Amino acid sequence: MKALILSFVLAGAVLFGGSSVSRAQAAAAPERTISERLDDLEAYVNNSARNASTNAACRIPGPGPGHNAFQMVCAALVLFMTLPGLALFYGGLVRRKNVLSVLAQCLGIAGLVTILWWLCGYSLAFHSGETARGWSLVGKLDWKFLAGVDSNPNTDYSHWVSHNIYSMYQLMFAIITPALIVGAIAERMKFSAILLFMTLWMFVVYFPLAHMVWGVDGMMNGVWNAKAPIRAIDFAGGTVVHMSSGWSALILCLILGKRLGFGREPMPPHNLVLCMVGTGMLWVGWYGFNAGSAVAADVIAANAFTTTTLATAVASFTWAMAEYVTRGKPSVLGFCSGAVAGLVVITPACGFVTSTGAVIIGIAAGLVPYLACWKLKAVFGYDDALDTYGVHAVGGTLGAFLTGLLASVKANSNLANNLADVGGKMDAANAATQNGLAGLVANHMLWVEQLKAIGVTLAMAVIGTTIIAFIVKAAIGLRPSPEVETSGLDLAEHGEEGYHAEA
């Protein structure tokens, strides 16, 4: 009984003592009006700018817990796309003697890119270039070593998500993009050459391109930069991720050459079960990729989630049915390839198109990349081992273009913003002109800007990859010896085997 009474006394002391401290702290802070409190609450719920009061103490400090939690989950889902999703998808498609080499390449790229991101990659991609003209090709280095990237929001990108969480979310994009290239050059490139190539490629292609499209003053950030000379839109990475990796993959596989025995001996996937499991993981993780690009748990994220589901399912079915018609059998690999193609093509459009637009994209994604993988590769004879070019380059380019045709204000009200080219300022009187994003969408001319962005992306990927590949080739060589390639990369490069024969 004494112990119970003592417990109540201590609890009361803590309760009333804590209340006294809280009252003292509250008394020390400036009093906020009911209106200011409601403004902050409404802004949080609607993912809009915080209280506009000039008195910073009248605003809610720190990030919004709901949006922040959403973004952390999405970041984890995007990493899940690479590890284990892409690793298993690619690993199942190669021959058994090379399965571990693909897994090691995905793991190695994840670690390498993370170091580069911390070093200066995030700063180059997302810091403002701060040029007098109002747009830039790459960011400044003020955030090197993630200096100043703390848990408070950076309002250039979000009012309610911590800056460090945003940087980690974008890191996951930076990890998966070079990992996609692995599919085209699988089974025939040295691990050391891959690491060196990817290091240079991130600086020459990815960091500048991410800044141009998504950076606050990027030259192709049509939604948020009033002075962008190219008013293109890319919700989650059609140009930045899929076009850049897909076209780079084609150039690299051409320079590298074909696998030994390509065209003379069969090279079927060693484990389609792994491939299907990896596909499912990619599909699940892609919700973080697409819905998470809204950088908030809001209505735009909900639309991106919906359109991603529709396009992916339709594309998977369409690809397999196309096989049914042309080859007589719908394959599991066809369903898997169609799903990935649907994910790729909807990516730049998911936050900008309606449900009907997503279905149209799904049908196109199931047919065009299928024809590229089936016919184009056969006609030109290049050894795109796992169809990275056919799915990601062709699909990413198709998605970027279709975004310009199908983007709708009904799906995303930001497409109606007043970014008109009037001294780089928002001007409502000129918003409906062809100069502004709203005018481009209303007049059905956005596809022209999308073609410009496609051209820039294509040039950066092709020219950059060509230069980097020949530098690496001259420095350390690209391919292992014929003996190593014949015996498999797993033992020679990593000293391990994915499978051991039964005794």
Side-chain angles (χ1 to χ4, degrees):
M1 179 61 71
K2 290 181 179 179
L4 183 60
I5 294 172
L6 181 60
S7 297
F8 279 122
V9 170
L10 289 174
V14 170
L15 177 62
F16 290 109
S19 298
S20 299
V21 172
S22 298
R23 284 194 296 269
Q25 290 175 340
E31 184 65 28
R32 289 184 297 154
T33 66
I34 296 297
S35 176
E36 287 172 333
R37 292 172 185 271
L38 290 176
D39 284 348
D40 275 341
L41 179 59
E42 185 177 26
Y44 172 63
V45 171
N46 293 324
N47 185 34
S48 57
R50 295 170 183 256
N51 188 330
S53 171
T54 56
N55 186 351
C58 289
R59 304 172 193 161
I60 298 174
H67 297 311
N68 227 29
F70 171 78
Q71 210 63 35
M72 284 187 274
V73 170
C74 287
L77 284 172
V78 180
L79 180 60
F80 185 71
M81 290 171 62
T82 307
L83 305 170
L86 185 69
L88 291 180
F89 178 74
Y90 277 173
L93 290 176
V94 298
R95 290 170 288 181
R96 60 184 295 153
K97 64 183 180 180
N98 293 313
V99 59
L100 289 185
S101 70
V102 171
L103 305 187
Q105 288 159 15
C106 289
L107 284 165
I109 287 170
L112 172 67
V113 171
T114 298
I115 294 170
L116 298 178
W117 199 248
W118 163 79
L119 185 67
C120 63
Y122 178 65
S123 191
L124 291 173
F126 287 94
H127 196 288
S128 169
E130 295 182 359
T131 60
R133 63 194 173 198
W135 59 269
S136 59
L137 303 178
V138 71
K140 296 175 66 178
L141 289 173
D142 292 5
W143 293 337
K144 59 183 180 295
F145 310 119
L146 295 182
V149 181
D150 57 21
S151 296
N152 292 308
N154 178 341
T155 55
D156 283 341
Y157 300 104
S158 172
H159 294 282
W160 298 102
V161 171
S162 295
H163 192 190
N164 49 16
I165 296 302
Y166 182 78
S167 71
M168 291 300 98
Y169 177 72
Q170 290 295 342
L171 166 62
M172 306 314 171
F173 280 68
I175 287 173
I176 196 171
T177 304
L180 293 173
I181 298 174
V182 166
I185 49 85
E187 304 191 298
R188 65 193 191 278
M189 188 168 176
K190 295 192 299 185
F191 186 69
S192 58
I194 287 176
L195 293 182
L196 179 55
F197 174 87
M198 296 305 179
T199 299
L200 298 175
W201 188 86
M202 293 300 291
F203 283 99
V204 173
V205 179
Y206 187 83
F207 296 151
L209 188 57
H211 180 80
M212 292 180 203
V213 175
W214 292 329
V216 64
D217 64 346
M219 68 168 287
M220 296 192 291
N221 189 344
V223 179
W224 300 116
N225 184 11
K227 295 184 178 181
I230 298 177
R231 299 190 186 284
I233 60 175
D234 184 347
F235 193 79
T239 52
V240 180
V241 177
H242 300 294
M243 275 195 68
S244 69
S245 62
W247 286 99
S248 294
L250 174 65
I251 300 303
L252 186 57
C253 83
L254 290 175
I255 294 172
L256 195 62
K258 301 174 183 179
R259 287 169 289 179
L260 296 178
F262 178 77
R264 299 190 305 274
E265 59 185 66
M267 297 180 178
H270 90 281
N271 193 327
L272 279 175
V273 174
L274 287 185
C275 175
M276 192 279 159
V277 172
T279 302
M281 291 176 173
L282 281 169
W283 190 337
V284 171
W286 221 289
Y287 289 115
F289 202 74
N290 284 1
S293 291
V295 199
D298 62 8
V299 294
I300 295 175
N303 185 77
F305 190 101
T306 301
T307 56
T308 297
T309 304
L310 292 171
T312 306
V314 169
S316 178
F317 185 77
T318 301
W319 186 303
M321 293 306 102
E323 284 188 333
Y324 213 163
V325 171
T326 57
R327 299 182 178 182
K329 295 179 181 179
S331 68
V332 171
L333 180 57
F335 279 110
C336 292
S337 299
V340 175
L343 291 164
V344 168
V345 180
I346 192 61
T347 288
C350 61
F352 297 123
V353 300
T354 63
S355 297
T356 300
V359 172
I360 294 171
I361 285 175
I363 295 171
L367 293 176
V368 177
Y370 167 67
L371 293 173
C373 293
W374 178 36
K375 290 295 186 180
L376 203 61
K377 187 163 66 170
V379 169
F380 292 100
Y382 53 86
D383 185 10
D384 176 12
L386 310 182
D387 289 324
T388 299
Y389 170 73
V391 172
H392 294 276
V394 173
T397 306
L398 175 66
F401 180 70
L402 289 178
T403 301
L405 295 179
L406 298 172
S408 171
V409 174
K410 294 179 181 178
N412 191 325
S413 60
N414 290 317
L415 293 175
N417 68 29
N418 295 330
L419 294 185
D421 192 10
V422 182
K425 298 179 181 179
M426 296 184 184
D427 189 323
N430 291 278
T433 68
Q434 216 167 33
N435 287 332
L437 180 63
L440 290 168
V441 174
N443 297 323
H444 307 291
M445 293 300 294
L446 182 59
W447 62 272
V448 176
E449 300 300 296
Q450 296 299 102
L451 284 179
K452 295 176 185 177
I454 288 170
V456 172
T457 303
L458 184 60
M460 289 180 64
V462 170
I463 297 171
T465 299
T466 301
I467 294 172
I468 295 167
F470 281 111
I471 290 174
V472 175
K473 185 176 183 179
I476 62 174
L478 294 172
R479 294 186 73 142
S481 67
E483 294 77 18
V484 167
E485 189 173 334
T486 300
S487 62
L489 300 180
D490 288 359
L491 273 173
E493 294 262 356
H494 307 289
E496 300 168 305
E497 291 182 283
Y499 308 96
H500 297 279
E502 294 182 4

